[in-house]
Amino acid sequence: MKQITVVIVGMGFGKEFIPIYQKHPNIKRVGICTRNPATLKELKERFNLDDDLIFTHFEDVPKRADVDAIHIVTPVPEHARMTLASLNAGKHTACTIPMAMTVEDCTAIVEARRKSGKVYMMMETALYTREFLYGLKLAETGQLGRIQFVRGSHIQDMSMPGWDEYWKGYPPMLNGTHAISPLLRINNTKAESVVCHGSGRLSDDLASRYGSPFAVETATFTLKNSDVAAEATRSLFDVVRQYRESYDVYGTKMSFEWEQLQDEGHSVFDGGENARRMECPDTDEMLIPEIAHFTKREKIDDPNHVSFLQGAGHGGSHPHLVQEFVAAIIEGRESAVDAHLAANYTCAGICAHESAMNGGKRIQIPDFE
């Protein structure tokens, strides 16, 4: 059996992936990288990690000939630099969202992946939640009928303690993949153009950080080879609302709407005035047995981490992400969220923010094919 060695960089919610990789039969060894010596010591002992795969400096990781893959779970401003260093060193590379912060960096990553021939995967949790996989199955089996419209939202209060300073005043759509990617994936297409409007005003301090005044940004996308329009809304500060990371899909036979309040139940509409509440089934049967149990909320190692206080544990997505990334490497194929798709999903948000800053001007999203 082919096995690989992976190093996870960033031990915020990145540490959640350590036991999943360790249980995967195609993983030989797992290493970690973080600047915090106390965290390194604690995790090394808890997960019985090898001394020679414990890193305090990222720059040392790509140099290691025995490291096959690098999984980046670091602050957003580091994503492009670390991804490029990993790919240029000939390492299979996974990175949490977004791919990068600029169109230019996304373009550079697409090219680096092409030159390296290695697997790249953007680890988009929204595409592997039990809620999205339920809706995707409805779409792929024809139960929705013809999709007529999709809507997504990601509303979050990032003034809560625990978020890094760089988030303060971050333009909403500049990191829009959680709200955008489900809309594109369920239609099996990419975003082609966008019109986005900003709404409301941030406090002066927040607005000055990135020169972006809007409390909310709402975008409407045209989709490639599709007559469906997609709408996405994103907010990070100065809006009172329980966390909501959602998608709604409306079809000719059935429609699905994400729950308004956490754990109150989603809504399914299947004709006329028929409506019912439902809970989406778990997705453990889609996973190899060794890691299937990691879909459960109780398997979250640190439920008090701010990423899980908001977002209910990423919808059981973590083992799906690991399974797909490792399978792509072992099978010698591109991942389900490869560089071209990741660049489109990411640049859809970047271009949406550009549109909002230009009074709702229509912006064409680059075609990375």
Side-chain angles (χ1 to χ4, degrees):
M1 177 186 294
K2 184 176 180 180
Q3 291 186 310
I4 61 172
T5 294
V6 62
V7 173
I8 308 164
V9 183
M11 291 292 112
F13 82 83
K15 63 179 173 288
E16 301 293 335
F17 292 93
I18 299 172
I20 306 175
Y21 279 115
Q22 286 184 322
K23 291 291 186 181
H24 197 293
N26 292 114
I27 295 297
K28 182 179 181 181
R29 294 202 299 162
V30 179
I32 61 172
C33 178
T34 182
R35 291 186 293 260
N36 189 320
T39 299
L40 282 178
K41 183 176 185 296
E42 187 256 321
L43 295 176
K44 174 187 175 299
E45 294 174 355
R46 194 198 319 171
F47 294 107
N48 193 29
L49 300 169
D50 295 337
D51 285 330
D52 66 325
L53 284 178
I54 303 295
F55 301 89
T56 54
H57 300 289
F58 167 76
E59 290 72 21
D60 295 330
V61 183
K63 297 175 183 177
R64 284 284 292 270
D66 57 338
V67 171
D68 303 293
I70 299 174
H71 181 171
I72 299 162
V73 199
T74 58
V76 172
E78 301 290 340
H79 290 185
R81 177 181 70 85
M82 290 183 174
T83 296
L84 287 168
S86 179
L87 288 171
N88 289 337
K91 308 300 183 185
H92 302 292
T93 306
C95 186
T96 188
I97 62 96
M99 180 186 238
M101 294 179 66
T102 67
V103 172
E104 292 75 18
D105 280 343
C106 288
T107 303
I109 292 170
V110 170
E111 179 62 13
R113 195 231 64 84
R114 185 191 67 78
K115 287 182 177 179
S116 72
K118 298 298 181 179
V119 171
Y120 169 88
M121 181 170 174
M122 186 171 76
M123 303 296 252
E124 175 52 85
T125 57
L127 297 181
Y128 289 96
T129 63
R130 57 185 66 87
E131 294 85 0
F132 178 72
L133 292 173
Y134 173 79
L136 183 63
K137 184 176 181 180
L138 293 180
E140 292 180 340
T141 57
Q143 295 177 72
L144 291 176
R146 185 174 67 254
I147 294 176
Q148 302 283 40
F149 180 64
V150 284
R151 175 190 293 121
S153 72
H154 184 188
I155 300 174
Q156 185 169 7
D157 179 9
M158 298 197 81
S159 65
M160 287 181 62
W163 291 109
D164 287 346
E165 186 68 19
Y166 76 86
W167 282 115
K168 302 294 173 59
Y170 200 99
M173 273 295 173
L174 196 58
N175 180 10
T177 67
H178 283 341
I180 296 167
S181 60
L183 314 182
L184 306 183
R185 176 67 185 92
I186 204 166
N187 283 285
N188 195 30
T189 188
K190 298 178 180 180
E192 205 166 46
S193 70
V194 60
V195 170
C196 184
H197 294 283
S199 180
R201 289 293 182 272
L202 293 175
S203 65
D204 290 344
D205 174 60
L206 290 174
S208 67
R209 305 288 184 103
Y210 288 88
S212 176
F214 305 120
V216 181
E217 290 178 339
T218 293
T220 305
F221 300 92
T222 60
L223 309 185
K224 188 174 182 179
N225 300 323
S226 175
D227 55 10
V228 175
E231 175 192 285
T233 297
R234 184 88 158 91
S235 176
L236 297 171
F237 294 95
D238 289 351
V239 173
V240 177
R241 181 35 166 115
Q242 183 188 51
Y243 183 96
R244 189 170 191 250
E245 181 185 314
S246 71
Y247 78 98
D248 304 326
V249 55
Y250 300 92
T252 56
K253 295 180 180 178
M254 182 185 289
S255 298
F256 172 90
E257 289 185 353
W258 193 284
E259 60 193 4
Q260 285 291 323
L261 301 178
Q262 186 172 305
D263 296 328
E264 74 170 0
H266 308 287
S267 300
V268 169
F269 308 88
D270 55 8
E273 293 300 303
N274 295 340
R276 57 184 170 87
R277 295 280 190 189
M278 56 84 65
E279 294 295 328
C280 293
D282 205 353
T283 55
D284 49 355
E285 79 285 350
M286 301 173 68
L287 293 159
I288 58 175
E290 293 88 346
I291 62 173
H293 61 290
F294 287 105
T295 60
K296 306 296 190 291
R297 282 191 194 179
E298 58 268 23
K299 297 305 294 184
I300 294 296
D301 183 73
D302 181 10
N304 293 317
H305 189 279
V306 68
S307 289
F308 303 124
L309 289 174
Q310 300 178 318
H314 292 168
S317 61
H318 295 173
H320 290 278
L321 295 169
V322 169
Q323 178 167 292
E324 173 59 18
F325 180 49
V326 174
I329 295 170
I330 298 300
E331 296 167 15
R333 59 172 174 82
E334 293 200 31
S335 71
V337 192
D338 62 17
H340 292 102
L341 275 180
N344 183 258
Y345 295 168
T346 299
C347 290
I350 293 170
C351 292
H353 175 61
E354 180 185 349
S355 172
M357 294 297 288
N358 285 276
K361 177 184 176 182
R362 181 172 297 279
I363 304 293
Q364 293 298 126
I365 299 161
D367 185 351
F368 291 94
E369 293 291 348

